[in-house]
Amino acid sequence: MLLAVSGGVDSVVMSHLFAEAGFTFAIAHVNYRLRGEESDQDAAWVARWAEQLAVPFFLYEANEVAEGNIQLWARELRYAWFEKLLKEEGYDYIATAHHAGDVLETVLFRLSRGGGIAAVHGILPKQAPLVRPLLFAGRAQIIDYAKRRGLTWREDSSNATDKYRRNYIRHHVVPHLRKLNPKVEEAVWATTCRIQEIEEVWETYVARWRRQAIYEKDDGTIRFCYEEVPRKVALWQALLASYGVSFDLVEQLLSVCNEGQSGAVFYTATHELLLNRKEVLIRPRKAQVHADGLLIEALRGSITAAFGVLRWEPLPALPATIPHDPHTAHVDMDALSFPLKLRLWQPGDRFCPLGMKGKKQKVSDFLINKKLSLFEKERQYVIEDAQGRIVWLVGQRLDERFALKPSTQNVLFLSWTPKA
């Protein structure tokens, strides 16, 4: 065990209990240098405490304090260092001295910001490689233990200020709750233990719906087939949380789904969500892809575009049969004007779909008739020749003007491999 010890009463009691129980452990301390000489004195005190317990001691001293969210910076710094120590020194777990009072403050803090079941499950006793063995004890119990054992500890002066939101809850909210229930810490701790059990059942329920309703397409797009899924905000948020979907966004989604507003698009910090008929399509947010195009000048070769790879080569003779594969095309090369260009389709594009006897059609209408989603339309390429004629709506339909004829002498073979 690697024990995170600040020198405060909580971590001192935790390390004393570990020593009394005969565990093999070491003490780790971070000097953030936030309180000048006081921080240095804390580090020296903890080093002496480790020596008194006859256990290894590790110290990390921050070089400079980051700007912005100091608490977030400190948290990321210490846990990165703790995990580094685990690997380098061979310890199995990191133990922190969170207690029932911390659980109460955490629940109140999360409730004030809103959230789901995770907001009220408190602090979990184990999240590999973290263990928190003091969650059962209130701060008064911890101080009583320390006094009865004659232990001393360091007081962090920053705990007295209301600068941090948790301190404000500790100083101004918790005392009023104690007037209502002197054992409010114990009550909330017991409640969070029950909620953690409920959460296990809930996760099993969510996992069942995830298996039934969420699929990945060949191009990497996620399909959320919501038609049979109960329209409950908490369930949808749990199913879509990994895509950055909040409770507020779920409420908006449910509203447009109930109204059948196909085509509506929503954005999270990491993903885009498209309501497409009776499903929601989800994909990672990507940088905008320009539609300028890539030239095809050589008679054979390949090019890699944003959404796939195009390969082409001339064939020595007309094929005996043409396979029915939408990702390949056999083109009458003598009908082409080089160079060719691979580009994303644009509004106003027209072509003569094979099988329509030379009749022209807007590419936009063709894609609508194919019932492609907005996401799929955004990835749709065309190949045009030097005269601006669309040769192939890639992966969909060849233009009839470039189809093979009995008189065709030279054939250009095209193949398209979409990217996930």
Side-chain angles (χ1 to χ4, degrees):
M1 294 281 191
L2 184 67
L3 274 57
V5 177
S6 66
V9 64
D10 310 327
S11 58
V12 167
V13 165
M14 178 181 69
S15 51
H16 187 267
L17 286 167
F18 268 77
E20 290 284 289
F23 284 114
T24 299
F25 68 95
I27 284 176
H29 177 82
V30 179
N31 181 358
Y32 303 105
R33 300 185 183 276
L34 293 173
R35 292 172 287 115
E37 185 178 351
E38 185 181 340
S39 294
D40 294 336
Q41 291 172 354
D42 287 348
W45 190 96
V46 176
R48 291 193 298 272
W49 174 240
E51 185 178 1
Q52 184 179 334
L53 295 178
V55 298
F57 173 68
F58 300 97
L59 173 65
Y60 183 90
E61 295 183 298
N63 293 323
E64 57 183 26
V65 177
E67 297 181 359
N69 190 328
I70 298 297
Q71 287 187 312
L72 178 61
W73 164 77
R75 175 183 173 82
E76 291 178 347
L77 183 150
R78 66 175 173 269
Y79 282 112
W81 180 57
F82 291 158
E83 291 189 16
K84 185 170 181 281
L85 277 180
L86 288 185
K87 295 176 183 177
E88 293 179 351
E89 303 296 333
Y91 291 95
D92 299 305
Y93 297 97
I94 304 161
T96 65
H98 292 93
H99 53 77
D102 294 312
V103 174
L104 172 59
E105 293 166 12
T106 297
V107 170
L108 293 173
F109 178 67
R110 289 176 178 170
L111 284 174
S112 69
R113 297 193 304 176
I117 195 169
V120 287
H121 73 193
I123 301 173
L124 299 176
K126 184 176 180 180
Q127 287 176 292
L130 285 172
V131 292
R132 302 176 176 106
L134 285 187
L135 291 181
F136 68 93
R139 184 169 175 80
Q141 290 174 278
I142 290 171
I143 292 175
D144 179 64
Y145 177 93
K147 288 180 176 178
R148 285 191 289 107
R149 295 301 182 102
L151 302 178
T152 58
W153 60 88
R154 297 281 295 174
E155 291 289 354
D156 185 340
S157 60
S158 65
N159 288 333
T161 178
D162 288 341
K163 178 181 178 181
Y164 303 117
R165 286 173 288 185
R166 283 181 176 275
N167 286 2
Y168 183 87
I169 291 173
R170 183 181 306 147
H171 297 152
H172 301 286
V173 179
V174 173
H176 291 287
L177 293 176
R178 285 205 182 99
K179 290 179 182 178
L180 296 174
N181 179 4
K183 296 185 177 182
V184 64
E185 289 177 347
E186 292 90 333
V188 170
W189 161 247
T191 299
T192 59
C193 289
R194 298 186 195 105
I195 289 173
Q196 288 167 24
E197 293 182 358
I198 293 170
E199 191 173 24
E200 291 180 11
V201 177
W202 168 249
E203 283 300 325
T204 302
Y205 176 74
V206 171
R208 178 167 64 84
W209 279 111
R210 187 176 291 115
R211 289 192 298 270
Q212 291 183 20
I214 296 181
Y215 310 90
E216 184 171 354
K217 299 176 67 174
D218 291 340
D219 64 1
T221 302
I222 304 299
R223 297 174 58 214
F224 172 42
C225 305
Y226 64 81
E227 192 68 5
E228 302 299 324
V229 180
R231 300 199 176 189
K232 302 293 183 182
V233 173
L235 176 58
W236 280 42
Q237 195 279 329
L239 289 170
L240 303 176
S242 59
Y243 311 115
V245 177
S246 66
F247 282 89
D248 289 342
L249 184 54
V250 168
E251 290 176 348
Q252 296 176 49
L253 267 175
L254 281 170
S255 176
V256 297
C257 287
N258 290 336
E259 295 173 7
Q261 296 180 22
S262 187
V265 181
F266 299 88
Y267 299 92
T268 72
T270 56
H271 287 77
E272 302 174 38
L273 292 85
L274 167 68
L275 179 60
N276 184 58
R277 298 177 179 86
K278 295 182 179 180
E279 63 184 8
V280 175
L281 300 179
I282 307 165
R283 69 177 182 189
R285 296 187 71 166
K286 297 181 179 178
Q288 186 174 355
V289 178
H290 296 288
D292 296 342
L294 299 167
L295 286 180
I296 302 170
E297 298 179 291
L299 286 179
R300 69 176 69 241
S302 68
I303 51 176
T304 300
F307 302 126
V309 178
L310 178 72
R311 295 178 177 85
W312 69 95
E313 62 178 339
L315 297 182
L318 270 68
T321 59
I322 297 177
H324 183 67
D325 180 357
H327 291 107
T328 63
H330 292 77
V331 178
D332 185 342
M333 195 157 61
D334 296 327
L336 297 172
S337 294
F338 278 84
L340 308 181
K341 181 189 286 187
L342 174 71
R343 64 169 175 82
L344 293 172
W345 78 279
Q346 300 169 358
D349 280 344
R350 293 174 178 269
F351 78 129
C352 301
L354 183 63
M356 291 185 62
K357 299 180 179 179
K359 182 179 178 182
K360 280 199 170 185
Q361 185 179 32
K362 287 183 179 179
V363 169
S364 58
D365 291 340
F366 183 91
L367 298 178
I368 289 172
N369 292 338
K370 292 283 289 185
K371 298 185 176 177
L372 267 62
S373 72
L374 177 63
F375 287 173
E376 291 168 319
K377 291 176 186 175
E378 289 177 354
R379 301 166 66 99
Q380 181 62 56
Y381 286 94
V382 298
I383 292 177
E384 67 177 12
D385 74 352
Q387 297 182 38
R389 298 173 297 177
I390 291 179
V391 177
W392 185 31
L393 187 59
V394 178
Q396 300 292 343
R397 190 74 61 87
L398 184 67
D399 187 295
E400 188 156 335
R401 291 170 292 183
F402 304 95
L404 302 186
K405 309 172 185 67
S407 59
T408 298
Q409 298 295 315
N410 299 292
V411 179
L412 184 67
F413 176 71
L414 303 165
S415 69
W416 175 253
T417 305
K419 280 186 183 177

